[in-house]
Amino acid sequence: MWTCWWLWPLVAVCTADQFLDQAKRIMQTTPVIDGHNDLPWQLLLKFNNELRQKDANLTSLTGTHTNIPKLKAGFVGGQFWSAYTPCNTQNKDAVKRTMEQIDVIHRMCQMYPETFLCVTSSQGIRQAFREGKVASLIGVEGGHSIDSSLGVLRALYHLGMRYLTLTHSCNTPWADNWLVDTGDHDAQSGGLSDDFGKSVVREMNRLGVIIDLAHVSVATMKAALNQSQAPVIFSHSSAFALCEHRRNVPDDVLQLVKQTGSLVMVNFYNDYVACKREANLSQVADHLDHIKKVAGAGAVGFGGDFDGVTRLPVGLEDVSKYPNLVAELLRRQWTEAEVRGALADNLLRVFEAVEQASNHARDPEETPIEQNYLDSSCRTSYGYSAAPGLHLQPAALLASLTPLLLGPRLL
Ligand SMILES: *[C@@H]1O[C@H](CO)[C@@H](O)[C@H](O)[C@H]1NC(C)=O
Ligand SMILES: *[C@@H]1O[C@H](CO)[C@@H](O)[C@H](O)[C@H]1NC(C)=O
Ligand SMILES: *[C@@H]1O[C@H](CO)[C@@H](O)[C@H](O)[C@H]1NC(C)=O
Ligand SMILES: [Zn+2]
């Protein structure tokens, strides 16, 4: 960008913004890998996932933070697209909705092969970089999407999921969400339940699915950081010390992030950046500075939450603006290596560690969640013992006794 002072008509003195030029030069070889983008959710809301609708053309899409020209202008080289379904689908059609969002991401890659390359590995990301495409990965946002099933977890892995956010804004039967820390929800699992919650973490480690701790309670953060054999990420969270919102990461957890080689990808949502409706790019840089100070430059990344939020900072209005944020870091004397870390190298390091810790030769986790943890209102119980356990809730107990009361019936 050129800043010009018009001294008098026809004469201009222009100075290049040296930091912006440097940012763009760096991003030509190290583009940004962003941790969280909700474009797939917008595609559902606006087009019911019909990508061939005229207005759904991603080259000319308007009214969103994300489209293809903006991604190119922003030097976006990697994106975890969010396969998100809201908490009100829990115990209903969460799995179906999640699979449909995974499908729409695959169809994006198929329809725009010159722009997107769907990948599932760190090596795939590097290949997309070389081809000048947006490495497209799938992050499933919310543990409710696996419906308390290790089988569904594994199936989503096979469909390309490479991170799972342990909760969205609701508890699952095995992990607590951030609203426990505001007092809006009751703690249920003490963070992560000892049996099934820990088994989910072990299975994610075994498969090579990154554990994402955005949206979870502080107790869940600590339990997962302790339990995981591989580093974890916060795909879209900022620093609690600068804005005391419970979606943000407190300093004692940042210490654990540092100890485990984990990563915080900073969220740009005004309400998490400034705890106000208004924010600016410089305040986002403050969050990056803070996380760097507490957890080290290796712990910093970008997780803009574009198309998942309604208010964004002045200077970071859409995905084309990443170079401006990088320029601000350079202005703040971040070294080129630190900047490359925040852009992509830190995420690649974490992903590679997760891949190395994975072990498909190890036996899969098999023990199902206990039946009494499951909402039984619209669910069958195949596989679970017919004999009612003593811990069944009264309604479930009554339901399981009904056949006995009514005598034998057909199966
Ligand atoms: C999107 O629109 C452009 C022209 O603006 C056209 O070239 C392209 O084929 C369209 N893509 C799809 C997938 O419809
Ligand atoms: C987990 O916590 C236990 C008990 O506090 C501790 O001994 C252990 O070192 C921790 N492990 C990790 C990986 O943090
Ligand atoms: C950004 O916002 C902060 C807090 O309101 C303010 O102090 C600062 O001057 C702003 N910076 C820019 C560059 O606008
Ligand atoms: Zn989110």
Side-chain angles (χ1 to χ4, degrees), residues 51-52 57-60 111-112:
L51 297 185
R52 258 177 251 290
N57 189 318
L58 297 185
T59 311
S60 50
M111 269 183 89
Y112 302 92

Side-chain angles (χ1 to χ4, degrees), residues 32-340:
V32 61
I33 304 173
D34 180 274
H36 194 84
N37 184 302
D38 272 305
L39 179 65
W41 180 244
Q42 295 301 324
L43 295 174
L44 177 69
L45 291 187
K46 288 174 183 290
F47 310 110
N48 208 2
N49 285 346
E50 292 182 60
L51 297 185
R52 258 177 251 290
Q53 280 187 32
K54 201 171 186 325
D55 293 345
N57 189 318
L58 297 185
T59 311
S60 50
L61 183 64
T62 56
T64 52
H65 304 140
T66 312
N67 65 22
I68 288 173
K70 287 173 185 168
L71 287 166
K72 296 214 153 111
F75 292 87
V76 178
Q79 183 66 64
F80 280 90
W81 301 107
S82 177
Y84 163 69
T85 186
C87 276
N88 64 358
T89 65
Q90 179 157 232
N91 297 317
K92 294 185 186 140
D93 53 357
V95 173
K96 171 204 160 193
R97 292 263 178 208
T98 303
M99 289 177 65
E100 287 175 344
Q101 294 314 98
I102 289 176
D103 168 72
V104 86
I105 296 165
H106 284 300
R107 285 190 287 122
M108 267 170 54
C109 293
Q110 207 170 38
M111 269 183 89
Y112 302 92
E114 65 296 327
T115 301
F116 301 117
L117 185 66
C118 270
V119 302
T120 54
S121 65
S122 57
Q123 221 183 325
I125 297 176
R126 293 185 196 282
Q127 185 194 336
F129 279 12
R130 283 193 297 274
E131 295 180 14
K133 294 178 183 171
V134 182
S136 294
L137 299 111
I138 296 167
V140 171
E141 187 180 22
H144 59 287
S145 283
I146 68 166
D147 198 15
S148 300
S149 164
L150 294 163
V152 173
L153 172 69
R154 283 186 283 270
L156 294 181
Y157 168 82
H158 288 302
L159 292 177
M161 170 181 74
R162 286 299 178 272
Y163 78 61
L164 172 66
T165 318
L166 296 188
T167 71
H168 191 255
S169 300
C170 52
N171 290 345
T172 65
W174 47 273
D176 291 341
N177 87 101
W178 67 279
L179 288 165
V180 163
D181 295 333
T182 63
D184 289 306
H185 293 177
D186 292 332
Q188 273 175 253
S189 301
L192 199 59
S193 71
D194 265 328
D195 39 18
F196 196 77
K198 287 183 178 169
S199 166
V200 168
V201 165
R202 277 196 302 276
E203 191 64 359
M204 289 174 71
N205 283 164
R206 188 189 72 84
L207 291 167
V209 177
I210 303 170
I211 290 157
D212 176 25
L213 300 179
H215 283 278
V216 306
S217 74
V218 170
T220 314
M221 295 175 191
K222 290 180 177 170
L225 277 155
N226 181 283
Q227 201 62 30
S228 178
Q229 301 289 311
V232 306
I233 64 169
F234 291 79
S235 68
H236 56 304
S237 299
S238 302
F240 185 82
L242 298 192
C243 162
E244 295 193 349
H245 194 293
R246 292 294 180 176
R247 271 286 283 104
N248 287 339
V249 189
D251 279 359
D252 58 338
V253 174
L254 287 178
Q255 293 295 341
L256 301 174
V257 165
K258 180 180 191 168
Q259 285 165 29
T260 53
S262 294
L263 175 63
V264 180
M265 307 177 92
V266 169
N267 192 312
F268 301 167
Y269 184 37
N270 290 355
D271 303 45
Y272 303 162
V273 169
C275 283
K276 288 203 294 191
R277 294 175 67 87
E278 292 82 36
N280 60 38
L281 178 149
S282 160
Q283 291 172 295
V284 175
D286 293 344
H287 281 263
L288 293 155
D289 267 342
H290 180 82
I291 294 164
K292 177 182 159 195
K293 189 181 78 195
V294 178
V300 186
F302 301 151
D305 212 356
F306 285 112
D307 282 312
V309 299
T310 44
R311 293 181 284 278
L312 285 158
V314 174
L316 282 173
E317 292 84 356
D318 60 54
V319 300
S320 71
K321 304 298 175 74
Y322 293 101
N324 299 324
L325 181 55
V326 173
E328 176 63 18
L329 299 181
L330 293 167
R331 199 170 288 122
R332 294 179 183 210
Q333 326 235 298
W334 285 47
T335 67
E336 190 167 318
E338 288 168 347
V339 162
R340 288 187 196 275

